[in-house]
Amino acid sequence: MNCIVIDDDPAYCELLSGIIGKIPNLTLVETYQDPISGLEGIRQEQPDLIFLDVEMPELNGFEMIETIPIEQRPMIILITSNKAYGPEAFEVEALDYLVKPLNIQKVLKAVGKARDKMTSSNAVSSIFIKVDSQLRNVPLSSINYIEAYGDFLKVHLADGMLLSSSSMKDVEKELPTNQFFRIHRSYIVRIDAIQNIEQNNLEIDDAALPIGQRRKKDLLELIKQI
């Protein structure tokens, strides 16, 4: 797995370089200390993973992400000294969000998430979902959308609904990203099931589901409807 580091603090570039050098099968291609060079590095190197500082001059980390077409975005681990950026990190679908000071334990945990995502196959045709005391094998083609419902999930199918004790996070990790898209904290939709997209909602099976403007833009980019 290849990665690059983008951080305007030379000390953190050096620190991360040292940590990454100790992690097996993770190769640091380059470090960049300004966002413009970093964007060019992403374009040229096409890394699997980026360690991206949030607070930088000219372009902050979130603004940088917005400039990268969604289909070209690598996995992103955000780095910041401000704990308050959590909601924004969720909105841009960052893989992880590390608060400085960094150490090898934090980085190893985040890299583990990246490895899990890389090894999960987009070719799966079904997933196992917890229903009561069972693990039920559910074909992906039958899932219209998934809704957070307290401590449970409502899995809305073409022919009914399942109430699952699986977590949204665990289910999202198993879903192929070329077929499913998280439009909101509480909703994951199957792209092929979308009937209409209008303003701040999209329609699936006569249900109007909320979608944020940033996520709407990313979804439209993904399905080539800009």
Side-chain angles (χ1 to χ4, degrees):
M1 183 162 58
N2 294 327
C3 69
I4 64 174
V5 173
I6 306 173
D7 194 319
D8 65 322
D9 186 338
Y12 263 95
C13 285
E14 185 176 351
L15 174 64
L16 270 170
S17 296
I19 292 174
I20 291 166
K22 297 176 182 178
I23 300 176
N25 301 316
L26 180 62
T27 301
L28 178 62
V29 177
E30 189 56 87
T31 63
Y32 301 92
Q33 292 178 21
D34 71 90
I36 305 304
S37 297
L39 283 171
E40 181 63 17
I42 294 169
R43 187 187 68 81
Q44 290 185 353
E45 304 295 345
Q46 298 183 1
D48 302 304
L49 177 66
I50 307 172
F51 292 89
L52 177 62
D53 187 26
V54 172
E55 299 101 343
M56 291 187 294
E58 296 180 301
L59 286 174
N60 65 39
F62 298 118
E63 291 168 336
M64 276 190 65
I65 294 170
E66 288 291 334
T67 68
I68 307 169
I70 189 169
E71 67 273 10
Q72 297 175 16
R73 286 181 197 171
M75 295 177 287
I76 297 169
I77 296 173
L78 289 171
I79 303 166
T80 178
S81 52
N82 189 336
K83 296 180 180 179
Y85 287 126
E88 288 90 342
F90 171 83
E91 285 294 324
V92 297
E93 296 188 321
L95 186 70
D96 210 339
Y97 173 76
L98 304 184
V99 179
K100 298 177 180 180
L102 300 183
N103 55 45
I104 194 167
Q105 289 85 2
K106 289 181 180 179
V107 176
L108 275 171
K109 185 175 180 180
V111 170
K113 293 180 181 180
R115 293 197 198 284
D116 289 344
K117 187 168 183 177
M118 280 195 73
T119 55
S120 63
S121 170
N122 278 348
V124 295
S125 60
S126 64
I127 60 170
F128 283 93
I129 293 177
K130 295 178 185 177
V131 179
D132 297 327
S133 60
Q134 299 178 335
L135 279 173
R136 186 172 299 186
N137 193 8
V138 180
L140 296 180
S141 60
S142 72
I143 300 173
N144 284 341
Y145 64 97
I146 299 169
E147 176 186 3
Y149 184 69
D151 293 331
F152 296 87
L153 298 179
K154 288 182 177 180
V155 182
H156 296 266
L157 307 175
D159 58 355
M161 188 269 290
L162 298 175
L163 187 63
S164 170
S165 57
S166 298
S167 73
M168 184 72 90
K169 181 179 178 181
D170 287 343
V171 170
E172 182 180 18
K173 187 169 64 175
E174 298 299 321
L175 293 170
T177 56
N178 63 337
Q179 297 181 47
F180 289 84
F181 188 83
R182 190 163 185 176
I183 61 167
H184 185 274
R185 287 180 182 272
S186 299
Y187 294 96
I188 299 173
V189 303
R190 181 167 58 85
I191 296 170
D192 285 351
I194 298 172
Q195 295 166 316
N196 296 295
I197 301 175
E198 184 176 358
Q199 296 183 342
N200 298 323
N201 294 283
L202 59 78
E203 184 179 343
I204 295 181
D205 197 23
D206 296 326
L209 309 180
I211 178 171
Q213 284 301 312
R214 180 180 290 168
R215 289 183 173 267
K216 178 181 176 181
K217 177 183 175 183
D218 289 346
L219 177 60
L220 291 175
E221 289 181 9
L222 185 62
I223 61 180
K224 310 293 186 182
Q225 291 188 7
I226 297 180

